[in-house]
Amino acid sequence: METHGGGKWRILLHLLLLSLISTVRSSSAVRFRSACGAAERQVPMAEGAGFKIGLFADLHFGEDAWTEWGPRQDVNSINVMNSVLHHENPDLVIYLGDVITANNIMIANASLYWDQAISPARNRGIPWASVFGNHDDAAFQWPLEWFSAPGIPPIHCPQSTTSYSGEEECSFKGTGRLELMTDEIKHNGSFSSYGPRNLWPSVSNYVLQVSSPDDPPSPVAFLYFLDSGGGSYPEVISNDQVEWFRKKAEEINPDSRVPEIVFWHIPSTAYKVVAPKFDIRKPCVGSINKEPVAAQEVETGIMNLLVNRTSAKAIFVGHNHGLDWCCPYNKLWLCYARHTGYGGYGDWPRGARILEINQTPFSLHSWIRMEDGEVHSEVILS
């Protein structure tokens, strides 16, 4: 039988060993994080299958909200998304900006329209992520015809809360990026993020990791999301965002081993360089080329950074409803999505761009799925 003194020393020795083990484990964890970067939020790839992404661009919910036509377009847009999701069943949906037409939305809480737009993915339990476009927090634009006979038409604003009076429901105040994002990320299926505070007013800047089914901490690809501005501030990816991207990439992908795919709304000026002149011909792939590229106001370095990253594979944008092509630019692919929403200009048939990531060997395959189920414009982007 041990004496009390011997038991005390054994306890002290045991605690010392536990402390030593904890220190070793912590040191190992720090070394692992230093080598591989801080863990990003992960979306898992299914065993034995590619990782499929559906891009919904330029939905423009809430457009002409005071008319009978406007709400009908929102219903039509939901039908497009439901059709695409039925045929493709993606692992992730990306809302690629201009989710709503805020400059037509009269209520203080435009998140009501945002919630309608994300409902097809949410109702199916499909996770989603979003970036902002130039219309998402734009100030209300008073239609000039309201100031001539017969004047302002009868306005029917959706009721945001039961405590609001009719006057408050039609407040014309708008909803800012931060408030829209705050409301979205309350939903369990949202993988969106505010992004770093030092980048505000640019909000939707963040990274998601597509994780290996065999080894979840191991990334198959990094998905970068950038706010390309517009609406409440200029249409630009700022120098601060470029530096954030550079530092984040050095942190989580220091040897550029993991492929990177980038999403924002307004195309960079590089899209003008590769744009087909008339018909879409190889090496470009697509089906409509009906308008000139409407690019960001200025280039501050994001394209120079991406062109010089061997890990950067492709950029996907929306904004131009009459373009759906992909064209090579140096070692990158510059791609448009497909106009998904019935809101917004243009009467071209609606659809969505689909991406599929495969792990071994890595490949990035894309095509366009139309509202009627047709598939076209298939292309390998890696």
Side-chain angles (χ1 to χ4, degrees), residues 4 60 67 107 140 142 156 159 180 194 205 250 277 284 308 321 351 353 370 375 380:
H4 289 295
H60 287 281
T67 68
I107 60 172
F140 183 80
W142 292 85
H156 305 285
Q159 198 166 358
L180 288 169
Y194 294 111
N205 304 285
E250 289 173 355
K277 300 302 180 187
C284 298
N308 287 289
H321 301 180
R353 181 170 290 283
M370 302 302 293
V375 171
I380 302 295

Side-chain angles (χ1 to χ4, degrees), residues 100 102 105 107-112 136-138 173-181 183:
I100 58 177
I105 295 175
I107 60 172
N109 186 10
S111 293
L112 294 173
D136 289 317
D137 72 344
K173 292 178 181 177
T175 307
R177 275 168 156 79
L178 285 174
E179 188 176 348
L180 288 169
M181 187 62 79
D183 288 339

Side-chain angles (χ1 to χ4, degrees), residues 64-65 104 111 115 193 205 231 243 261 263 274 285 291 309 321 323 344 354 370 382:
D64 287 357
N104 280 184
S111 293
D115 287 348
S193 174
N205 304 285
E243 288 307 307
I261 307 167
F263 304 89
V274 300
V285 178
E291 59 177 323
R309 286 192 64 77
H321 301 180
L323 304 174
I354 308 297
M370 302 302 293
S382 60

Side-chain angles (χ1 to χ4, degrees), residues 153-235:
I155 299 173
H156 305 285
C157 291
Q159 198 166 358
S160 52
T161 70
T162 55
S163 63
Y164 274 11
S165 69
E167 182 180 356
E168 289 171 325
E169 289 163 19
C170 293
S171 69
F172 308 99
K173 292 178 181 177
T175 307
R177 275 168 156 79
L178 285 174
E179 188 176 348
L180 288 169
M181 187 62 79
T182 298
D183 288 339
E184 188 205 308
I185 62 179
K186 290 176 183 176
H187 298 289
N188 289 333
S190 173
F191 276 71
S192 302
S193 174
Y194 294 111
R197 289 175 177 264
N198 64 305
L199 299 181
W200 294 355
S202 172
V203 172
S204 52
N205 304 285
Y206 57 99
V207 189
L208 298 179
Q209 174 181 311
V210 178
S211 297
S212 168
D214 305 319
D215 181 16
S218 178
V220 175
F222 288 119
L223 311 180
Y224 280 83
F225 299 82
L226 291 169
D227 190 335
S228 56
S232 60
Y233 73 98
E235 298 178 354

Side-chain angles (χ1 to χ4, degrees), residues 231-248:
S232 60
Y233 73 98
E235 298 178 354
V236 62
I237 293 176
S238 70
N239 181 72
D240 285 344
Q241 288 171 277
V242 176
E243 288 307 307
W244 169 80
F245 191 113
R246 188 194 315 278
K247 291 176 182 177
K248 176 59 71 174

Side-chain angles (χ1 to χ4, degrees), residues 84-119:
V84 170
L85 295 177
H86 169 75
H87 285 97
E88 296 290 352
N89 191 29
D91 300 286
L92 178 71
V93 166
I94 294 176
Y95 290 91
L96 202 55
D98 283 3
V99 177
I100 58 177
T101 302
N103 43 294
N104 280 184
I105 295 175
M106 301 159 291
I107 60 172
N109 186 10
S111 293
L112 294 173
Y113 288 101
W114 196 282
D115 287 348
Q116 290 178 39
I118 63 177
S119 64

